Amino acid sequence: MLHRAIERVLEAQAVWADPLGKLFVAIFAALYKPVPIIKDLLNGVWLGHPLHPAITDVPIGAYVVALVLDLSGQRAAATAAIGVGIVFMLLAALAGYADYIDLEGKTQRFGTVHSSLMLVALVLYLVSFLMRLGAVPSSAEVWLSAVGFLIVISSAYIGGELVYNLGTQVDRHAWRGGGTKWTALDVSDVPADKPVKAKAGAQTLVVVRRGSDLNALHDVCAHQGCSLSEGKIVDDTIECGCHGSRYRLRDGLVVRGPAVFDQPHYEVREAEGKIEVRRTDTR
Ligand code: FES
């Protein structure tokens, strides 16, 4: 009930969030895309997990501590906690925008509301922090950080909405499961260096012949579900045509984001004009 009401409120923000989202995407894409190594770092490719949610706990924790310290009259300690919160909020924003620039439609809209609220909270905390550096305490510095905290918590809810309800930055293969059975593909002819879409029972795979090797990965990109068979071969990887994630053909390892999860990989054997596969990695 409550969730549906909140979702309607978020949808109603399209009038300002959609144009602002386009502007944010243009700015951060111009900053990040020329340097893929930085974007990969911020997406969390090296971590095998999105980096943004791993950082966000720090500012939220620091702001809770600051609130408690303010209530107990410990101004200097509260100021230090807010300083920590601001630094990690900036880091979380850098990582969050690396994920955000690959969103579209509803997820981009909700992401824009989420990040805009966080920016407002950041400004409030910054002003509060600067006031706290002065010699004379004021109630305004406490009120500013208290309002900032309420905005952070509200915005964190929208971040949860993006992940848990809309499936942003989640592994598309989390429930795929393994298996040891060999299954025949519905294709028998795979030309060299060209991704071929094939069915293995209920699963759709992309099969690529490189020299004498035949490689098979699941066709659904772990990032946002595009078909890898519509991508292209780059060295020993396949590159997704949607946002450029690259997976190593021989084992499905993600070597370039925005995907941060490996792609399910299949062992392949050929005999009597038939191609069979079985899943090698299990999760
Ligand atoms: S769907 Fe985004 S990189 Fe494949």
Side-chain angles (χ1 to χ4, degrees), residues 23-43:
L23 180 67
F24 279 169
V25 167
I27 292 170
F28 285 96
L31 283 175
Y32 290 155
K33 291 212 166 161
V35 203
I37 195 165
I38 299 290
K39 187 168 181 297
D40 280 2
L41 184 78
L42 294 169
N43 283 134

Side-chain angles (χ1 to χ4, degrees), residues 114-131:
H114 169 69
S115 67
S116 302
L117 286 173
M118 285 299 187
L119 288 176
V120 171
L122 181 61
V123 170
L124 294 181
Y125 271 112
L126 267 172
V127 174
S128 170
F129 180 76
L130 293 174
M131 290 173 77

Side-chain angles (χ1 to χ4, degrees), residues 102 221-228 240-247 257-259:
D102 295 312
C221 178
H223 178 231
Q224 285 182 18
C226 287
S227 169
L228 288 182
C240 179
C242 285
H243 310 103
S245 292
R246 287 183 189 168
Y247 304 97

Side-chain angles (χ1 to χ4, degrees), residues 25-96:
V25 167
I27 292 170
F28 285 96
L31 283 175
Y32 290 155
K33 291 212 166 161
V35 203
I37 195 165
I38 299 290
K39 187 168 181 297
D40 280 2
L41 184 78
L42 294 169
N43 283 134
V45 175
W46 56 280
L47 194 59
H49 180 291
L51 181 61
H52 176 69
I55 302 176
T56 54
D57 289 352
V58 181
I60 291 176
Y63 293 151
V64 171
V65 168
L67 203 61
V68 172
L69 290 168
D70 269 340
L71 289 173
S72 56
Q74 299 183 64
R75 185 182 187 230
T79 304
I82 287 175
V84 170
I86 288 170
V87 169
F88 279 87
M89 207 173 175
L90 285 168
L91 292 174
L94 287 176

